Amino acid sequence: MTGGSETHLGGRMLKTVRKELRTALSWKVGVFVAALLVLPSLFGTVISDGYALSGSADFFTLVMAGVLPLIFPLLAVAVYAVPFSDQLSNRYLVYTRIRIDIRRNLATKALANLILAFIVFFLVAFIPFLWAFFIEPSLGVINEYHQSRVSPGVVAVSPSTINTFSQLLAIGPWAYGVGYSLVLGLNGAIYASLGFLLLFLIPNRFVAIAIPFVGYNIFNFVFGVLAIPQFSPAIVFPFNLTQFPMWVPFVPFTVLIVVALGLAVYVHRNTHRLDVLL
């Protein structure tokens, strides 16, 4: 009986999460996400004539190393947490707690936030990957790659040695594209979760939303000054750094997970005492 009730509860939870995801995808969020998915590839293609690109991997680097690394946490929080903050401002959750268990309601929204951010930022990397490695080469939109710009006697650099994660190119382009997209999706989900959880702890929602972005840039600066940029949060965009072992980007990622779990536990234990929910 216990197993059956747990299965029923899990199924009902998933149904509620799907409903929440459909609700979250308003036309405004849809336009924002569509722009986020299309603009990097479009911008990279437009400026590509000013660069001597050596192949698809080099073009992918150009696409992903634009503005996105500078405002990544802000974009992650904007997908779900920013629209959700309106529910806290107009006290929507306070009114619904009479009909719906508040902890279950928050768990549903937290899971929807995490899933949506993961999918969006997986696609933020995967769509440019498809464009750079398969679609653009078949269309020939940009100038031919300058494969011959290597001085005589100099061995051409293998794409699999250019930067962190490009080691996966030794397996194949799909391993690289899917692998890197998974990493970016997971990082996007963590930053989105941090912004979501901070909304319950900080009275000013604009400050709560900005903290992941500000912390991201502060730590990037600090680790840059310390000459260990490979351990900064920006290592998830490793395109301007030399190649490091693939475990290195998971060091700051693990720290972020620990912080997010700590915030989640605190919010769960203090749900009935948080000012924003009273």
mmCIF file of all heavy atoms in Angstrom, residues 69-99:
data_model
loop_
_atom_site.group_PDB
_atom_site.id
_atom_site.type_symbol
_atom_site.label_atom_id
_atom_site.label_comp_id
_atom_site.label_asym_id
_atom_site.label_seq_id
_atom_site.Cartn_x
_atom_site.Cartn_y
_atom_site.Cartn_z
ATOM 1 N N PRO A 69 28.604 34.815 -21.566
ATOM 2 C CA PRO A 69 29.353 34.545 -20.334
ATOM 3 C C PRO A 69 29.311 35.687 -19.313
ATOM 4 O O PRO A 69 29.499 35.450 -18.119
ATOM 5 C CB PRO A 69 30.797 34.346 -20.836
ATOM 6 C CG PRO A 69 30.642 33.940 -22.258
ATOM 7 C CD PRO A 69 29.453 34.701 -22.763
ATOM 8 N N LEU A 70 29.050 36.900 -19.756
ATOM 9 C CA LEU A 70 29.054 38.057 -18.851
ATOM 10 C C LEU A 70 27.794 38.130 -18.002
ATOM 11 O O LEU A 70 27.834 38.587 -16.850
ATOM 12 C CB LEU A 70 29.221 39.348 -19.648
ATOM 13 C CG LEU A 70 30.489 39.475 -20.496
ATOM 14 C CD1 LEU A 70 30.459 40.776 -21.293
ATOM 15 C CD2 LEU A 70 31.726 39.410 -19.616
ATOM 16 N N ILE A 71 26.655 37.712 -18.560
ATOM 17 C CA ILE A 71 25.377 37.877 -17.861
ATOM 18 C C ILE A 71 24.655 36.550 -17.658
ATOM 19 O O ILE A 71 23.445 36.520 -17.429
ATOM 20 C CB ILE A 71 24.474 38.867 -18.625
ATOM 21 C CG1 ILE A 71 24.247 38.394 -20.068
ATOM 22 C CG2 ILE A 71 25.071 40.259 -18.618
ATOM 23 C CD1 ILE A 71 23.241 39.244 -20.830
ATOM 24 N N PHE A 72 25.378 35.458 -17.720
ATOM 25 C CA PHE A 72 24.796 34.125 -17.628
ATOM 26 C C PHE A 72 23.864 33.936 -16.421
ATOM 27 O O PHE A 72 22.714 33.517 -16.583
ATOM 28 C CB PHE A 72 25.926 33.092 -17.632
ATOM 29 C CG PHE A 72 25.487 31.679 -17.390
ATOM 30 C CD1 PHE A 72 24.517 31.088 -18.182
ATOM 31 C CD2 PHE A 72 26.061 30.929 -16.374
ATOM 32 C CE1 PHE A 72 24.122 29.771 -17.967
ATOM 33 C CE2 PHE A 72 25.672 29.620 -16.148
ATOM 34 C CZ PHE A 72 24.702 29.048 -16.944
ATOM 35 N N PRO A 73 24.287 34.248 -15.176
ATOM 36 C CA PRO A 73 23.389 34.030 -14.034
ATOM 37 C C PRO A 73 22.122 34.880 -14.107
ATOM 38 O O PRO A 73 21.048 34.443 -13.693
ATOM 39 C CB PRO A 73 24.250 34.436 -12.828
ATOM 40 C CG PRO A 73 25.649 34.345 -13.300
ATOM 41 C CD PRO A 73 25.599 34.744 -14.740
ATOM 42 N N LEU A 74 22.249 36.084 -14.637
ATOM 43 C CA LEU A 74 21.086 36.968 -14.756
ATOM 44 C C LEU A 74 20.059 36.378 -15.716
ATOM 45 O O LEU A 74 18.845 36.413 -15.463
ATOM 46 C CB LEU A 74 21.547 38.344 -15.245
ATOM 47 C CG LEU A 74 20.635 39.543 -14.939
ATOM 48 C CD1 LEU A 74 20.400 39.686 -13.450
ATOM 49 C CD2 LEU A 74 21.256 40.806 -15.499
ATOM 50 N N LEU A 75 20.543 35.811 -16.811
ATOM 51 C CA LEU A 75 19.653 35.171 -17.774
ATOM 52 C C LEU A 75 18.998 33.931 -17.184
ATOM 53 O O LEU A 75 17.811 33.670 -17.414
ATOM 54 C CB LEU A 75 20.431 34.793 -19.036
ATOM 55 C CG LEU A 75 21.008 35.958 -19.850
ATOM 56 C CD1 LEU A 75 21.876 35.416 -20.987
ATOM 57 C CD2 LEU A 75 19.900 36.837 -20.397
ATOM 58 N N ALA A 76 19.775 33.165 -16.410
ATOM 59 C CA ALA A 76 19.233 31.948 -15.803
ATOM 60 C C ALA A 76 18.099 32.268 -14.831
ATOM 61 O O ALA A 76 17.064 31.596 -14.814
ATOM 62 C CB ALA A 76 20.353 31.189 -15.082
ATOM 63 N N VAL A 77 18.282 33.301 -14.042
ATOM 64 C CA VAL A 77 17.264 33.704 -13.076
ATOM 65 C C VAL A 77 16.044 34.286 -13.786
ATOM 66 O O VAL A 77 14.906 34.127 -13.332
ATOM 67 C CB VAL A 77 17.853 34.728 -12.079
ATOM 68 C CG1 VAL A 77 16.772 35.291 -11.171
ATOM 69 C CG2 VAL A 77 18.945 34.073 -11.231
ATOM 70 N N ALA A 78 16.271 34.927 -14.932
ATOM 71 C CA ALA A 78 15.179 35.601 -15.643
ATOM 72 C C ALA A 78 14.170 34.632 -16.247
ATOM 73 O O ALA A 78 13.016 35.010 -16.494
ATOM 74 C CB ALA A 78 15.752 36.496 -16.737
ATOM 75 N N VAL A 79 14.563 33.385 -16.491
ATOM 76 C CA VAL A 79 13.671 32.433 -17.167
ATOM 77 C C VAL A 79 12.429 32.142 -16.342
ATOM 78 O O VAL A 79 11.298 32.151 -16.858
ATOM 79 C CB VAL A 79 14.427 31.128 -17.482
ATOM 80 C CG1 VAL A 79 13.459 30.070 -18.015
ATOM 81 C CG2 VAL A 79 15.536 31.382 -18.498
ATOM 82 N N TYR A 80 12.588 31.894 -15.038
ATOM 83 C CA TYR A 80 11.442 31.522 -14.200
ATOM 84 C C TYR A 80 11.333 32.374 -12.943
ATOM 85 O O TYR A 80 10.246 32.823 -12.581
ATOM 86 C CB TYR A 80 11.545 30.049 -13.804
ATOM 87 C CG TYR A 80 10.372 29.553 -12.979
ATOM 88 C CD1 TYR A 80 9.293 28.927 -13.591
ATOM 89 C CD2 TYR A 80 10.350 29.705 -11.596
ATOM 90 C CE1 TYR A 80 8.212 28.467 -12.836
ATOM 91 C CE2 TYR A 80 9.276 29.267 -10.834
ATOM 92 C CZ TYR A 80 8.207 28.644 -11.456
ATOM 93 O OH TYR A 80 7.146 28.192 -10.707
ATOM 94 N N ALA A 81 12.449 32.612 -12.272
ATOM 95 C CA ALA A 81 12.409 33.277 -10.971
ATOM 96 C C ALA A 81 11.882 34.711 -11.061
ATOM 97 O O ALA A 81 11.176 35.170 -10.162
ATOM 98 C CB ALA A 81 13.797 33.269 -10.325
ATOM 99 N N VAL A 82 12.226 35.417 -12.129
ATOM 100 C CA VAL A 82 11.740 36.797 -12.265
ATOM 101 C C VAL A 82 10.220 36.835 -12.397
ATOM 102 O O VAL A 82 9.553 37.576 -11.661
ATOM 103 C CB VAL A 82 12.428 37.507 -13.451
ATOM 104 C CG1 VAL A 82 11.743 38.833 -13.760
ATOM 105 C CG2 VAL A 82 13.904 37.752 -13.134
ATOM 106 N N PRO A 83 9.608 36.058 -13.325
ATOM 107 C CA PRO A 83 8.140 36.044 -13.348
ATOM 108 C C PRO A 83 7.529 35.538 -12.044
ATOM 109 O O PRO A 83 6.491 36.044 -11.597
ATOM 110 C CB PRO A 83 7.812 35.093 -14.513
ATOM 111 C CG PRO A 83 9.026 35.102 -15.363
ATOM 112 C CD PRO A 83 10.188 35.271 -14.423
ATOM 113 N N PHE A 84 8.171 34.536 -11.431
ATOM 114 C CA PHE A 84 7.661 33.995 -10.166
ATOM 115 C C PHE A 84 7.673 35.041 -9.058
ATOM 116 O O PHE A 84 6.806 35.022 -8.175
ATOM 117 C CB PHE A 84 8.501 32.782 -9.747
ATOM 118 C CG PHE A 84 8.228 32.312 -8.348
ATOM 119 C CD1 PHE A 84 7.082 31.592 -8.066
ATOM 120 C CD2 PHE A 84 9.107 32.600 -7.320
ATOM 121 C CE1 PHE A 84 6.815 31.159 -6.773
ATOM 122 C CE2 PHE A 84 8.857 32.177 -6.026
ATOM 123 C CZ PHE A 84 7.708 31.445 -5.746
ATOM 124 N N SER A 85 8.625 35.964 -9.090
ATOM 125 C CA SER A 85 8.714 36.981 -8.039
ATOM 126 C C SER A 85 7.455 37.834 -7.980
ATOM 127 O O SER A 85 7.129 38.394 -6.924
ATOM 128 C CB SER A 85 9.943 37.872 -8.258
ATOM 129 O OG SER A 85 9.808 38.662 -9.430
ATOM 130 N N ASP A 86 6.716 37.935 -9.083
ATOM 131 C CA ASP A 86 5.448 38.677 -9.071
ATOM 132 C C ASP A 86 4.429 38.004 -8.157
ATOM 133 O O ASP A 86 3.607 38.680 -7.523
ATOM 134 C CB ASP A 86 4.870 38.776 -10.489
ATOM 135 C CG ASP A 86 5.694 39.687 -11.381
ATOM 136 O OD1 ASP A 86 6.379 40.582 -10.847
ATOM 137 O OD2 ASP A 86 5.669 39.497 -12.616
ATOM 138 N N GLN A 87 4.479 36.666 -8.088
ATOM 139 C CA GLN A 87 3.561 35.942 -7.206
ATOM 140 C C GLN A 87 3.836 36.248 -5.744
ATOM 141 O O GLN A 87 2.923 36.248 -4.915
ATOM 142 C CB GLN A 87 3.666 34.437 -7.450
ATOM 143 C CG GLN A 87 3.237 34.009 -8.840
ATOM 144 C CD GLN A 87 3.240 32.501 -8.996
ATOM 145 O OE1 GLN A 87 3.137 31.756 -8.015
ATOM 146 N NE2 GLN A 87 3.362 32.025 -10.224
ATOM 147 N N LEU A 88 5.090 36.500 -5.417
ATOM 148 C CA LEU A 88 5.423 36.866 -4.045
ATOM 149 C C LEU A 88 5.032 38.311 -3.763
ATOM 150 O O LEU A 88 4.573 38.637 -2.667
ATOM 151 C CB LEU A 88 6.924 36.678 -3.809
ATOM 152 C CG LEU A 88 7.446 35.244 -3.886
ATOM 153 C CD1 LEU A 88 8.950 35.213 -3.665
ATOM 154 C CD2 LEU A 88 6.756 34.354 -2.866
ATOM 155 N N SER A 89 5.203 39.171 -4.745
ATOM 156 C CA SER A 89 4.885 40.587 -4.552
ATOM 157 C C SER A 89 3.391 40.811 -4.356
ATOM 158 O O SER A 89 2.980 41.631 -3.528
ATOM 159 C CB SER A 89 5.376 41.415 -5.748
ATOM 160 O OG SER A 89 6.774 41.341 -5.861
ATOM 161 N N ASN A 90 2.564 40.071 -5.136
ATOM 162 C CA ASN A 90 1.117 40.253 -4.979
ATOM 163 C C ASN A 90 0.497 39.261 -3.998
ATOM 164 O O ASN A 90 -0.725 39.138 -3.924
ATOM 165 C CB ASN A 90 0.413 40.165 -6.341
ATOM 166 C CG ASN A 90 0.624 38.821 -7.025
ATOM 167 O OD1 ASN A 90 0.811 37.793 -6.372
ATOM 168 N ND2 ASN A 90 0.591 38.813 -8.355
ATOM 169 N N ARG A 91 1.374 38.525 -3.275
ATOM 170 C CA ARG A 91 0.968 37.619 -2.196
ATOM 171 C C ARG A 91 0.053 36.491 -2.691
ATOM 172 O O ARG A 91 -0.787 35.960 -1.956
ATOM 173 C CB ARG A 91 0.296 38.392 -1.054
ATOM 174 C CG ARG A 91 1.176 39.492 -0.491
ATOM 175 C CD ARG A 91 0.582 40.138 0.735
ATOM 176 N NE ARG A 91 0.509 39.231 1.862
ATOM 177 C CZ ARG A 91 1.538 38.875 2.628
ATOM 178 N NH1 ARG A 91 2.753 39.335 2.361
ATOM 179 N NH2 ARG A 91 1.374 38.055 3.630
ATOM 180 N N TYR A 92 0.270 36.071 -3.929
ATOM 181 C CA TYR A 92 -0.519 34.985 -4.502
ATOM 182 C C TYR A 92 -0.329 33.685 -3.722
ATOM 183 O O TYR A 92 -1.291 32.969 -3.434
ATOM 184 C CB TYR A 92 -0.118 34.791 -5.973
ATOM 185 C CG TYR A 92 -0.730 33.591 -6.628
ATOM 186 C CD1 TYR A 92 -2.042 33.623 -7.096
ATOM 187 C CD2 TYR A 92 0.009 32.411 -6.783
ATOM 188 C CE1 TYR A 92 -2.611 32.504 -7.705
ATOM 189 C CE2 TYR A 92 -0.552 31.298 -7.389
ATOM 190 C CZ TYR A 92 -1.858 31.347 -7.848
ATOM 191 O OH TYR A 92 -2.416 30.247 -8.431
ATOM 192 N N LEU A 93 0.919 33.377 -3.346
ATOM 193 C CA LEU A 93 1.187 32.137 -2.610
ATOM 194 C C LEU A 93 0.555 32.154 -1.223
ATOM 195 O O LEU A 93 0.140 31.113 -0.712
ATOM 196 C CB LEU A 93 2.701 31.919 -2.486
ATOM 197 C CG LEU A 93 3.450 31.547 -3.773
ATOM 198 C CD1 LEU A 93 4.913 31.320 -3.476
ATOM 199 C CD2 LEU A 93 2.852 30.325 -4.420
ATOM 200 N N VAL A 94 0.500 33.325 -0.625
ATOM 201 C CA VAL A 94 -0.113 33.431 0.708
ATOM 202 C C VAL A 94 -1.594 33.078 0.630
ATOM 203 O O VAL A 94 -2.131 32.385 1.501
ATOM 204 C CB VAL A 94 0.063 34.858 1.268
ATOM 205 C CG1 VAL A 94 -0.652 35.006 2.607
ATOM 206 C CG2 VAL A 94 1.544 35.172 1.430
ATOM 207 N N TYR A 95 -2.272 33.516 -0.426
ATOM 208 C CA TYR A 95 -3.701 33.250 -0.566
ATOM 209 C C TYR A 95 -3.976 31.794 -0.923
ATOM 210 O O TYR A 95 -5.018 31.250 -0.532
ATOM 211 C CB TYR A 95 -4.293 34.167 -1.643
ATOM 212 C CG TYR A 95 -4.138 35.641 -1.334
ATOM 213 C CD1 TYR A 95 -3.805 36.555 -2.327
ATOM 214 C CD2 TYR A 95 -4.306 36.119 -0.030
ATOM 215 C CE1 TYR A 95 -3.653 37.909 -2.037
ATOM 216 C CE2 TYR A 95 -4.141 37.458 0.266
ATOM 217 C CZ TYR A 95 -3.817 38.354 -0.747
ATOM 218 O OH TYR A 95 -3.653 39.682 -0.448
ATOM 219 N N THR A 96 -3.060 31.158 -1.661
ATOM 220 C CA THR A 96 -3.297 29.771 -2.080
ATOM 221 C C THR A 96 -2.930 28.752 -1.002
ATOM 222 O O THR A 96 -3.307 27.584 -1.131
ATOM 223 C CB THR A 96 -2.488 29.436 -3.355
ATOM 224 O OG1 THR A 96 -1.090 29.625 -3.085
ATOM 225 C CG2 THR A 96 -2.914 30.328 -4.513
ATOM 226 N N ARG A 97 -2.204 29.179 0.031
ATOM 227 C CA ARG A 97 -1.776 28.208 1.036
ATOM 228 C C ARG A 97 -2.951 27.632 1.809
ATOM 229 O O ARG A 97 -2.826 26.595 2.479
ATOM 230 C CB ARG A 97 -0.750 28.824 1.989
ATOM 231 C CG ARG A 97 -1.276 29.895 2.900
ATOM 232 C CD ARG A 97 -0.135 30.551 3.682
ATOM 233 N NE ARG A 97 0.613 29.574 4.447
ATOM 234 C CZ ARG A 97 1.823 29.800 4.976
ATOM 235 N NH1 ARG A 97 2.406 30.971 4.791
ATOM 236 N NH2 ARG A 97 2.424 28.876 5.669
ATOM 237 N N ILE A 98 -4.115 28.274 1.758
ATOM 238 C CA ILE A 98 -5.307 27.752 2.421
ATOM 239 C C ILE A 98 -5.782 26.489 1.705
ATOM 240 O O ILE A 98 -6.269 25.538 2.324
ATOM 241 C CB ILE A 98 -6.426 28.817 2.417
ATOM 242 C CG1 ILE A 98 -5.958 30.066 3.158
ATOM 243 C CG2 ILE A 98 -7.699 28.273 3.062
ATOM 244 C CD1 ILE A 98 -6.927 31.232 3.067
ATOM 245 N N ARG A 99 -5.627 26.458 0.369
ATOM 246 C CA ARG A 99 -6.111 25.325 -0.427
ATOM 247 C C ARG A 99 -5.018 24.295 -0.722
ATOM 248 O O ARG A 99 -5.299 23.129 -0.915
ATOM 249 C CB ARG A 99 -6.683 25.839 -1.761
ATOM 250 C CG ARG A 99 -7.894 26.743 -1.607
ATOM 251 C CD ARG A 99 -8.422 27.214 -2.958
ATOM 252 N NE ARG A 99 -7.515 28.141 -3.615
ATOM 253 C CZ ARG A 99 -6.757 27.846 -4.637
ATOM 254 N NH1 ARG A 99 -6.760 26.614 -5.129
ATOM 255 N NH2 ARG A 99 -5.976 28.750 -5.205
#
